[in-house]
Amino acid sequence: MKLDIEKIEDILYPRKFKFFSVSTQIVAVVLIFISYTILAYLDYEKTGTIFGLPFRAGILFVPIFEELIFRGCILVGLTRYYSVKKSIVISSLLFGLWHFKNIFVMPIDDVVSQMLYAGLIFGPIVAYLTLRLKSIWPGVILHYLNNILAPLLPMIWLLLQK
């Protein structure tokens, strides 16, 4: 894949791709954000946590913040000095390491699992998507969906085993 991004702004601004117009992407981000916020609120009301984590208003903005930093700045910045593959690997590993910050709110086994998943699976997928579509916004959508579904997967797994 040849990378032809001239400026960091080229990847930060929404652009049309396939059947997703800019308006569709904006509406999707807003609807997913609202859904995420409602689910987080309901979880907080029920358990006093948001998806198992202590309440912090900032958690609602994590997907946008992390995509801006790791895909918008770090990934694109690395592509100026390294190949696309190497840039994806480095930015994804940094993204995985970033999740070490959760050591204060999660059991160590969960943190290690999260770091491995973020650095070896989710990070490379979203990095590739970002470079392929030349926009961070599909990655933001995927990141919200990932954060919504991740806490539900153990429950789904248990239901499937019955």
Side-chain angles (χ1 to χ4, degrees):
M1 171 172 53
K2 171 83 171 91
L3 187 64
D4 59 348
I5 297 169
E6 295 291 327
K7 304 174 285 207
I8 200 154
E9 294 85 29
D10 291 343
I11 208 164
L12 296 179
Y13 293 106
R15 70 179 73 240
K16 181 180 181 184
F17 61 95
K18 303 246 183 213
F19 56 90
F20 283 107
S21 68
V22 171
S23 299
T24 304
Q25 293 173 60
I26 292 168
V27 168
V29 168
V30 169
L31 290 175
I32 292 170
F33 179 78
I34 290 169
S35 300
Y36 186 85
T37 304
I38 290 168
L39 288 171
Y41 175 76
L42 293 173
D43 193 45
Y44 180 71
E45 286 293 306
K46 182 178 174 186
T47 66
T49 67
I50 295 180
F51 304 127
L53 300 173
F55 177 75
R56 295 177 295 177
I59 201 166
L60 301 175
F61 301 102
V62 166
I64 294 171
F65 169 77
E66 289 181 351
E67 292 309 313
L68 282 168
I69 298 299
F70 288 95
R71 262 56 80 176
C73 297
I74 293 173
L75 175 64
V76 173
L78 287 169
T79 60
R80 296 180 189 267
Y81 302 100
Y82 303 107
S83 69
V84 169
K85 286 181 184 178
K86 194 173 200 176
S87 298
I88 288 173
V89 169
I90 294 169
S91 67
S92 296
L93 292 176
L94 289 172
F95 182 62
L97 288 172
W98 168 256
H99 288 83
F100 185 70
K101 70 185 180 336
N102 295 330
I103 193 74
F104 301 107
V105 294
M106 295 170 66
I108 186 69
D109 292 348
D110 291 347
V111 172
V112 171
S113 296
Q114 187 181 56
M115 290 172 63
L116 291 171
Y117 172 74
L120 302 177
I121 298 170
F122 188 75
I125 290 170
V126 179
Y128 175 79
L129 183 70
T130 298
L131 295 176
R132 178 89 173 150
L133 300 175
K134 299 179 183 166
S135 174
I136 65 161
W137 298 106
V140 169
I141 293 168
L142 188 60
H143 204 138
Y144 270 115
L145 291 172
N146 178 74
N147 288 4
I148 288 170
L149 294 175
L152 302 177
L153 290 178
M155 291 183 288
I156 293 169
W157 179 253
L158 288 174
L159 289 174
L160 290 174
Q161 290 182 343
K162 287 185 178 183

